[in-house]
């Protein structure tokens, strides 16, 4: 039956309809999946492999995320090709190979086009309103579809934990229930942490006030934009490994502030497109809380301290 590697290569040859399949030198291993680039009859591809049972859900969500971001024609992402189920219950995800380097000279450009990504849906809204005022264009005739709710049409995973993206009209409710409460339930189940539970019951009551007077138009988000998921190619910045959904644009800046990798040129360019609304700093802390809880659930209690201290700061 041959080695797992050989087996995978024959599946790849079949799925890519190629006789030539040559692994290129550099493989990239993320925290979660292994990646490898190959030379094929029709050019280079990048293949991610994961042998966990939930891999297909994870890769389907990533593929849908990349497709959604591609459609906006704003920030560059790898073009997804297909997700393939493996006989062991795992899955692989084939996408365009990009020669991605560390982000250096395109930091401000990334801030600017990330702003464009976040404004894309709002522009649809304006265009739809204009078209509605133009005689002869019925509401269903526009190719432009404004998304007026928060969520996504499929499950996406932040890490390997699936996110509940069921559509909601209200962002505060969506974020409190389908992001924070969801993570808190996992922590409760795994650790039964009393301090976390008590802080959360207080914090819940404080959340609506943080959004007082803030108008939120759903924005298409990358959803997991930390320094490890950004880079550059010859002609500009590129982002990858998304966990997309329609949410509050500020959410995107939660994780970027935790692990670094973004400089002031990035933030300046971004806020030129998206000026900070009152209460921004406090809400970004709330968005960081999600990522600390998610890391606690992925990697264990090393992230408990940060989660607890953010909750304490927010209930003051």
């Amino acid at each position: 039956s041959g080695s797992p590697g050989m087996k995978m290569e024959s599946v790849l040859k079949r799925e890519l309809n190629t006789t030539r399949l040559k692994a290129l030198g550099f493989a990239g291993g993320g925290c979660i999946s292994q990646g490898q680039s190959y030379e094929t009859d029709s050019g280079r591809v990048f293949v991610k492999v994961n042998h966990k049972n939930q891999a297909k859900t994870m890769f389907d969500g990533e593929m849908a995320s990349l497709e959604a971001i591609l459609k906006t024609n704003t920030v560059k992402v790898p073009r997804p090709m297909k997700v393939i189920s493996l006989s062991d219950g795992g899955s692989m995800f084939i996408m365009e190979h990009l020669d991605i380097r560390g982000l250096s000279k395109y930091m401000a450009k990334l801030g600017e086009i990330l702003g464009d990504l976040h404004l894309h849906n709002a522009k649809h809204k304006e265009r739809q309103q204009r078209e509605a005022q133009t005689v002869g264009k019925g509401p269903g005739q526009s190719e432009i579809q404004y998304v007026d709710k928060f969520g996504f049409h499929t499950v996406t995973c932040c890490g390997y934990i699936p996110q509940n993206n069921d559509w909601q009209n209200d962002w505060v409710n969506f974020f409190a229930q389908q992001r924070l409460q969801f993570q808190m339930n996992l922590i409760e189940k795994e650790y039964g942490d009393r301090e976390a539970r008590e802080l959360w019951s207080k914090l819940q009551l404080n959340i609506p006030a943080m959004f007082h007077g803030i108008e939120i138009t759903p924005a298409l988000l990358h959803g997991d934009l930390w320094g490890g998921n950004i880079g550059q190619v010859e002609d500009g910045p590129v982002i990858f490994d998304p966990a997309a959904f329609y949410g509050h644009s500020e959410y995107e800046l939660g994780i970027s502030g935790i692990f670094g990798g973004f400089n002031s040129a990035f933030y300046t360019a971004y806020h030129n497109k998206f000026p900070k609304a009152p209460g921004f700093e406090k809400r970004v802390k709330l968005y960081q809380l999600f990522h600390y809880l998610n890391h606690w659930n992925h990697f264990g209690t090393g992230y408990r301290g940060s989660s607890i201290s953010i909750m304490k700061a927010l209930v003051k």
Side-chain angles (χ1 to χ4, degrees):
S1 64
S3 70
M6 302 245 319
K7 215 181 254 170
M8 238 167 51
E9 296 203 345
S10 63
V11 171
L12 272 174
K13 279 184 173 169
R14 189 178 68 233
E15 292 287 343
L16 292 167
N17 195 11
T18 181
T19 45
R20 182 157 189 245
L21 189 74
K22 181 177 179 289
L24 295 166
F26 39 90
C31 315
I32 291 176
S33 303
Q34 281 308 109
Q36 175 70 54
S37 290
Y38 294 92
E39 197 74 71
T40 74
D41 294 348
S42 48
R44 290 179 169 188
V45 295
F46 181 68
V47 181
K48 279 164 92 162
V49 180
N50 188 296
H51 295 285
K52 284 198 168 79
N53 285 335
Q54 66 266 45
K56 187 171 181 339
T57 304
M58 196 169 76
F59 288 153
D60 283 343
E62 187 181 339
M63 178 149 176
S65 299
L66 289 169
E67 285 170 340
I69 295 169
L70 261 179
K71 272 194 195 124
T72 66
N73 240 325
T74 54
V75 60
K76 189 177 184 70
V77 291
R79 183 174 295 281
M81 291 155 79
K82 54 166 75 170
V83 173
I84 298 155
S85 296
L86 298 171
S87 53
D88 66 359
S91 191
M92 58 183 164
F93 180 19
I94 307 172
M95 67 187 89
E96 168 189 23
H97 163 92
L98 292 174
D99 208 358
I100 300 172
R101 308 269 177 235
L103 184 58
S104 52
K105 60 178 175 182
Y106 292 119
M107 210 32 112
K109 185 75 183 148
L110 177 62
E112 184 192 325
I113 54 182
L114 184 69
D116 292 335
L117 172 68
H118 291 172
L119 285 166
H120 189 260
N121 192 43
K123 292 225 162 83
H124 278 355
K125 184 184 186 178
E126 288 163 22
R127 205 170 307 165
Q128 220 162 302
Q129 286 166 342
R130 275 202 307 276
E131 284 181 4
Q133 289 154 5
T134 312
V135 183
K137 270 243 175 170
Q141 287 175 285
S142 172
E143 297 82 86
I144 310 292
Q145 287 303 313
Y146 165 59
V147 176
D148 63 350
K149 291 183 168 61
F150 301 96
F152 202 55
H153 62 275
T154 189
V155 171
T156 51
C157 298
C158 195
Y160 56 78
I161 295 177
Q163 305 192 103
N164 176 356
N165 289 329
D166 293 349
W167 296 102
Q168 300 294 341
N169 292 315
D170 178 63
W171 167 252
V172 176
N173 195 27
F174 175 92
F175 181 68
Q177 294 307 313
Q178 291 173 213
R179 290 296 181 264
L180 293 180
Q181 184 69 63
F182 185 85
Q183 293 284 336
M184 287 303 303
N185 291 347
L186 294 175
I187 282 164
E188 182 56 40
K189 208 163 90 182
E190 185 65 32
Y191 302 103
D193 193 299
R194 195 173 132 204
E195 189 179 10
R197 188 169 61 235
E198 287 171 359
L199 280 165
W200 172 235
S201 65
K202 287 184 190 144
L203 175 55
Q204 275 180 302
L205 305 173
N206 289 10
I207 292 174
M210 295 182 204
F211 291 87
H212 192 70
I214 303 296
E215 198 193 324
I216 301 172
T217 300
L220 181 61
L221 306 175
H222 171 284
D224 192 15
L225 198 69
W226 66 289
N229 290 344
I230 63 173
Q232 65 184 43
V233 288
E234 272 303 298
D235 58 346
V238 59
I239 62 178
F240 43 92
D241 289 356
F245 65 99
Y246 284 86
H248 185 196
S249 54
E250 292 174 357
Y251 174 91
E252 198 87 282
L253 302 181
I255 195 167
S256 69
I258 295 178
F259 299 108
F262 298 82
N263 65 17
S264 59
F266 165 83
Y267 289 107
T268 303
Y270 180 81
H271 289 301
N272 280 341
K273 296 253 168 183
F274 254 99
K276 289 182 188 180
F280 170 84
E281 266 73 23
K282 199 168 191 182
R283 287 188 300 275
V284 165
K285 274 214 162 12
L286 185 70
Y287 295 144
Q288 286 180 344
L289 174 61
F290 165 79
H291 292 287
Y292 282 123
L293 295 173
N294 189 43
H295 277 71
W296 184 355
N297 279 315
H298 273 86
F299 307 113
T301 50
Y303 287 92
R304 179 187 184 271
S306 312
S307 304
I308 295 289
S309 69
I310 281 201
M311 286 204 257
K312 283 181 171 163
L314 291 171
V315 295
K316 272 193 183 121

